[in-house]
């Protein structure tokens, strides 16, 4: 078949008029697709800015309630909670307490906001262990490693505890083999068969998590997370991870980080057609903030371009520290 070319075809015809340009736009950002990460710590009236993440704070439960209210007023509905506990130990036992920091936060938020917000919980132990790894340790082949199978029942217990306290969706982020199955079984047995799992299915061992580890006070005290998080060089492996998590009962899957992994987002979306979340992580946020503070880039323009691109790549949901700013910018139009 012969396809006519120039001068019959002129792509610029649809670009000249801004209103026509709007009509043919393929991707539209919507505040309903944002999930705002929040960091909660013990105490009262604490609102301490995270230096590498301007505009983001470690909050005590009372201030967390205010923060969620302010964000909800901007149209944001989804929130994911990260806890900074008052004590840490080798197994991260404070993560399982009924009066743990995330459990207290969930109860407080649930009682104030009822069904007006969607509360997600990050399910992992790195914030709760004194060594900063994502589960209890063991030694295999002369290497210290996270004990995969010992972590599974702990993850299930953490999720059940969060579901009881009011979590709407649990999001396991530790990249343990079999974690989705263990959590699904645990939730079902505890009467939470209706609670969805958003699995951090393709989570890479990334340098872009730097600011988060300051925010959540969770850097590994030795070694790195290369023994459980994925090698940034691998793409096919991400598809196998996603396939396994879906087979184990994941309702949604996440790709993390977002920007260096746009190809993974697209491949996951094309292959599986399930709801995909992308985590626009702390380092990706911090780079934009820092360059904008220096006057090197236009923050609003770049942030909206990034968020739009993540959606265009195939993500349905975006976890992003830009959620509040973006909500305001979208309102201004
Ligand atoms: C693990 C977890 C991490 C992030 C979210 N969940 C840190 C890690 O894997 O080391 C990073 C998020 C970000 O950088 O914004 N609980």
């Amino acid at each position: 078949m012969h396809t006519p070319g120039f001068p019959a075809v002129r792509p610029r015809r649809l670009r000249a008029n801004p209103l026509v340009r709007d009509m043919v736009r393929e991707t539209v950002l919507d505040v309903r697709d944002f999930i705002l990460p929040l960091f909660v710590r013990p105490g009262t009236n604490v609102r301490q800015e995270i230096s590498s993440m301007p505009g983001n704070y470690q909050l005590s439960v009372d201030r967390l309630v205010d923060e969620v209210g302010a964000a909800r007023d901007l149209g944001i509905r989804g929130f994911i909670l990260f806890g900074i506990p008052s004590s840490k130990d080798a197994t991260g036992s404070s993560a399982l307490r009924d009066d743990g920091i995330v459990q207290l936060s969930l109860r407080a938020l649930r009682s104030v906001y009822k069904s007006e917000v969607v509360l997600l919980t990050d399910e992992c132990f790195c914030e709760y262990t004194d060594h900063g790894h994502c589960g209890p340790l063991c030694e295999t082949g002369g290497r210290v490693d996270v004990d995969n199978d010992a972590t599974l029942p702990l993850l299930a217990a953490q999720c059940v505890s969060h579901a009881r306290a009011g979590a709407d969706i649990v999001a396991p982020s530790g990249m343990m083999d079999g974690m989705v199955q263990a959590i699904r079984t645990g939730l079902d047995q505890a009467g939470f068969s209706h609670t969805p799992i958003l699995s951090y299915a393709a989570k890479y061992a990334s340098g872009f998590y730097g600011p988060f580890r300051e925010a959540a006070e969770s850097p590994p005290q030795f070694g790195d997370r290369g023994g459980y998080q994925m090698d940034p060089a691998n793409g096919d492996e991400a598809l196998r991870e996603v396939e396994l998590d879906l087979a184990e009962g994941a309702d949604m899957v996440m790709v993390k980080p977002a920007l260096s992994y746009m190809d993974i987002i697209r491949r996951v979306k094309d292959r599986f057609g399930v709801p995909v979340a992308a985590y626009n992580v702390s380092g990706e946020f911090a780079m934009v903030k820092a360059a904008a503070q220096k006057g090197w880039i236009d923050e609003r323009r770049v942030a909206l371009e990034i968020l739009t691109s993540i959606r265009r790549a195939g993500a349905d949901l975006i976890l992003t520290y830009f959620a509040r700013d973006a909500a305001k910018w979208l309102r201004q139009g």
Side-chain angles (χ1 to χ4, degrees):
M1 198 184 79
H2 175 74
T3 320
F6 182 82
V9 177
R10 289 180 182 269
R12 289 185 55 198
R13 279 186 204 116
L14 297 181
R15 297 189 199 132
N17 178 339
L19 298 186
V20 174
R21 217 152 61 210
D22 278 354
M23 283 175 177
V24 299
R25 177 166 298 134
E26 296 175 37
T27 309
V28 180
L29 272 185
D30 189 317
V31 66
R32 287 174 292 191
D33 303 325
F34 297 153
I35 295 169
L36 175 65
L38 293 168
F39 301 93
V40 60
R41 64 171 314 137
T44 46
N45 200 25
V46 180
R47 188 171 194 259
Q48 193 178 322
E49 188 160 32
I50 300 154
S51 61
S52 52
M53 300 170 69
N56 290 269
Y57 302 83
Q58 292 184 344
L59 303 156
S60 51
V61 174
D62 53 330
R63 301 297 294 267
L64 172 76
V65 170
D66 300 341
E67 196 81 15
V68 165
R72 184 214 43 183
D73 292 345
L74 291 168
I76 297 167
R77 299 168 170 191
F79 301 89
I80 185 161
L81 302 180
F82 295 94
I84 303 153
S86 49
S87 68
K88 306 193 184 205
D89 60 21
T91 60
S93 62
S94 58
L96 305 182
R97 295 171 60 111
D98 227 25
D99 61 351
I101 187 70
V102 169
Q103 288 84 346
L104 291 176
S105 305
L106 288 165
R107 291 205 177 83
L109 292 171
R110 197 85 281 162
S111 73
V112 175
Y113 301 112
K114 312 280 187 264
S115 57
E116 292 168 62
V117 294
V118 179
L119 301 176
L120 295 91
T121 43
D122 182 83
E123 306 292 350
C124 192
F125 289 94
C126 56
E127 294 128 50
Y128 304 91
T129 52
D130 48 18
H131 45 74
H133 282 283
C134 298
L137 301 175
C138 63
E139 214 179 295
T140 24
R143 275 187 306 274
V144 177
D145 197 4
V146 173
D147 188 336
N148 189 91
D149 295 10
T151 305
L152 300 181
L154 300 176
L155 274 172
Q158 185 183 32
C159 290
V160 168
S161 175
H162 289 164
R164 279 208 183 99
D168 294 296
I169 299 173
V170 295
S173 69
M175 288 299 280
M176 294 299 125
D177 295 336
M179 68 181 184
V180 174
Q181 183 186 64
I183 290 167
R184 187 69 275 159
T185 306
L187 287 171
D188 291 358
Q189 283 171 356
F192 293 100
S193 57
H194 54 281
T195 301
I197 299 173
L198 164 57
S199 178
Y200 287 66
K203 176 174 177 181
Y204 286 87
S206 171
F208 287 100
Y209 306 150
F212 173 94
R213 292 179 184 169
E214 177 208 330
E217 301 181 5
S218 65
Q221 296 304 306
F222 63 88
D224 59 33
R225 302 209 206 288
Y228 36 106
Q229 299 180 349
M230 278 183 53
D231 182 341
N234 296 351
D236 295 342
E237 187 189 354
L239 301 185
R240 294 198 295 276
E241 283 280 4
V242 167
E243 187 169 21
L244 284 168
D245 282 4
L246 292 173
E248 292 176 25
D251 301 280
M252 304 186 268
V253 291
M254 194 191 302
V255 175
K256 173 185 173 194
L259 293 185
S260 293
Y261 303 92
M262 296 284 213
D263 56 328
I264 310 300
I265 296 172
R266 171 48 58 194
R267 290 176 73 187
V268 168
K269 190 68 192 176
D270 283 349
R271 170 85 70 98
F272 299 102
V274 295
V276 176
Y279 201 140
N280 179 213
V281 301
S282 58
E284 298 172 334
F285 173 81
M287 288 194 303
V288 175
K289 282 283 175 188
Q293 278 176 3
K294 284 193 170 284
W296 291 346
I297 57 170
D298 175 340
E299 180 182 347
R300 170 185 166 139
R301 184 167 173 190
V302 168
L304 289 175
E305 184 173 335
I306 284 173
L307 296 172
T308 303
S309 304
I310 294 171
R311 289 272 293 122
R312 190 202 64 235
D316 302 284
L317 303 169
I318 308 175
L319 290 81
T320 178
Y321 304 97
F322 283 117
R324 277 168 295 225
D325 289 333
K328 284 181 211 155
W329 295 327
L330 291 177
R331 279 201 175 175
Q332 291 160 8

